[in-house]
Amino acid sequence: MAPMGIRLSPLGVAVFCLLGLGVLYHLYSGFLAGRFSLFGLGGEPAGGPAAAGPAAAADGGSVDLREMLAVAVLAAVRGGDEVRRVRESNVLHEKSKGKTREGADDKMTSGDVLSNRKMFYLLKTAFPNVQINTEEHVDATDQEVILWDRKIPEDILKEIATPKEVPAESVTVWIDPLDATQEYTEDLRKYVTTMVCVAVYGKPVLGVIHKPFSEYTAWAMVDGGSNVKARSSYNEKTPRIVVSRSHSGMVKQVALQTFGNQTTIIPAGGAGYKVLALLDVPDKNQEKADVYIHVTYIKKWDICAGNAILKALGGHMTTLNGEEISYTGSDGIDGGLLASIGMNHQALVKKLPDLEKMGHK
Ligand SMILES: Nc1ncnc2c1ncn2[C@@H]1O[C@H](COP(=O)(O)O)[C@@H](OP(=O)(O)O)[C@H]1O
Ligand SMILES: [Mg+2]
């Protein structure tokens, strides 16, 4: 006989244990589902978001995209301060990193290097577990610990009410510390931008384009919010086409062949500037265009932020064949670029001539 008359019924113990396990399971699965809800980003690894969540939690933890946006804006502005300071000093220390495939000088200045240092270390210190790809070399012996005060600006909080958590290992950040370096060396300041992009599973999700000489910043998050919008109308029939002024290749021939001789071509520097030309940007130095076309090789840090912003606003940036661009893996893309908003993008793709037949490649 049990002492004090307490007898444990085996059935009671079993029911109690089962109930306990049920409560634990409920708490655990609910917690993870909330933490890693990917708010319609798609592109999760095989097995879906349920597979992504626990695996990622065990590895690099999660990051909040709303916080990443706050730091990305700060990084673009701080990098831009360096870009402006160097330009105003008139001591650019301009040099060539080599040649592009087409034989143009691939330039770099102190503006690129110092902006890169600020932008990279701000993002890396705030988010040590995410992959960051940047245009310029990061000097590990010249580190700068720049702490983020963890404040999310009001305009971001107003647009994006809740945190957006994703697994840290799903994220790739792309930094362009100085877009339009060629034009920067020519003192064509309006074309210059600093850019940050965050891709999740290779899809561009948030983008920041900052103009250091106008102190204007555009940002947007797919399924989140933005501080910039599309214009109310675009000319689809005879569009104004913005193209590269220093890496043009056959772009003018392509544009005229596609849209006819009545089409206006606007040569401009910087991929960031050219994406802003498609949007409603309150900057008197910003030209306006209906379509952005690029035909030569281009790097992902040049285009990711613009791609994310266009996507967030309902526009498109694809290769000239209409293929989506994946922002993981290699640094560059070969298939050219077509960017549009407020028009039928696939119809534009169909109109474009076959570049291979035009002898582009
Ligand atoms: N064929 C090419 N090869 C390498 N980089 C290219 C390129 N065409 C454009 N780019 C880069 O893409 C950005 C926009 O180019 P563009 O002003 O000609 O439209 C510039 O970035 P950076 O200024 O950051 O180097 C430029 O160097
Ligand atoms: Mg650059």
Side-chain angles (χ1 to χ4, degrees):
M1 205 172 89
M4 307 297 290
I6 299 169
R7 276 188 57 212
L8 297 175
S9 137
L11 186 65
V13 171
V15 169
F16 183 78
C17 288
L18 274 174
L19 272 173
L21 278 173
V23 168
L24 277 176
Y25 173 78
H26 180 75
L27 285 176
Y28 182 72
S29 59
F31 169 73
L32 287 174
R35 245 180 125 61
F36 293 108
S37 63
L38 296 178
F39 56 95
L41 289 175
E44 305 87 349
D59 295 337
S62 68
V63 287
D64 172 11
L65 290 178
R66 192 173 61 163
E67 290 187 348
M68 292 206 87
L69 174 59
V71 181
V73 168
L74 187 63
V77 170
R78 288 286 183 80
D81 291 343
E82 298 296 306
V83 166
R84 212 174 42 247
R85 200 168 54 77
V86 169
R87 187 57 263 183
E88 278 158 10
S89 78
N90 257 332
V91 186
L92 266 60
H93 298 292
E94 176 185 334
K95 52 182 175 215
S96 174
K97 291 186 279 186
K99 298 271 182 203
T100 66
R101 290 182 183 180
E102 298 79 23
D105 267 328
D106 189 6
K107 287 189 181 164
M108 185 180 75
T109 67
S110 293
D112 298 71
V113 175
L114 295 173
S115 171
N116 191 57
R117 180 166 175 257
K118 276 271 185 296
M119 293 178 74
F120 178 82
Y121 283 116
L122 231 168
L123 282 152
K124 195 68 195 168
T125 310
F127 303 101
N129 293 336
V130 306
Q131 163 82 34
I132 302 180
N133 296 337
T134 175
E135 176 168 6
E136 307 305 337
H137 173 71
V138 181
D139 187 349
T141 62
D142 189 25
Q143 282 195 23
E144 181 172 357
V145 177
I146 317 172
L147 293 178
W148 173 48
D149 63 7
R150 303 200 61 80
K151 284 198 189 112
I152 300 178
E154 276 305 316
D155 61 336
I156 294 180
L157 288 175
K158 211 174 105 216
E159 283 288 312
I160 309 170
T162 52
K164 309 272 189 193
E165 303 261 355
V166 294
E169 66 179 15
S170 68
V171 169
T172 316
V173 178
W174 296 87
I175 297 177
D176 190 338
L178 203 171
D179 182 41
T181 300
Q182 172 60 43
E183 287 71 22
Y184 183 69
T185 64
E186 297 177 48
D187 208 11
L188 298 171
R189 302 182 182 197
K190 69 174 181 185
Y191 296 129
V192 173
T193 62
T194 57
M195 296 191 276
V196 181
C197 179
V198 174
V200 177
Y201 296 118
K203 298 193 175 183
V205 166
L206 72 86
V208 177
I209 304 178
H210 172 68
K211 293 178 116 180
F213 298 102
S214 321
E215 308 219 17
Y216 169 77
T217 311
W219 59 258
M221 185 193 289
V222 174
D223 294 334
S226 69
N227 74 343
V228 59
K229 53 186 185 356
R231 297 203 304 273
S232 52
S233 67
Y234 293 87
N235 188 340
E236 211 160 337
K237 254 201 163 141
T238 45
R240 287 164 295 174
I241 301 169
V242 69
V243 303
S244 169
R245 67 181 281 283
S246 52
H247 305 86
S248 54
M250 306 238 327
V251 72
K252 285 180 191 159
Q253 292 91 317
V254 170
L256 292 175
Q257 186 171 329
T258 310
F259 300 103
N261 290 334
Q262 294 309 307
T263 285
T264 309
I265 294 177
I266 306 170
Y273 179 89
K274 288 194 269 291
V275 167
L276 292 181
L278 304 183
L279 304 176
D280 186 10
V281 168
D283 176 4
K284 62 177 179 8
N285 292 322
Q286 177 70 57
E287 292 153 290
K288 297 201 182 315
D290 300 302
V291 178
Y292 167 23
I293 301 180
H294 190 84
V295 301
T296 62
Y297 180 73
I298 195 158
K299 301 284 184 70
K300 290 178 183 170
W301 40 71
D302 295 311
I303 58 174
C304 183
N307 194 342
I309 292 177
L310 284 172
K311 192 171 171 189
L313 302 181
H316 301 271
M317 181 185 279
T318 62
T319 64
L320 293 167
N321 285 336
E323 285 154 19
E324 297 292 332
I325 299 155
S326 170
Y327 293 92
T328 52
S330 68
D331 285 350
I333 61 153
D334 259 323
L337 271 190
L338 175 66
S340 75
I341 186 164
M343 54 178 82
N344 185 338
H345 191 83
Q346 280 313 316
L348 289 178
V349 169
K350 288 213 183 89
K351 268 188 162 177
L352 286 168
D354 187 333
L355 281 185
E356 307 233 352
K357 282 197 193 129
M358 288 185 75
H360 164 65
K361 287 192 178 156

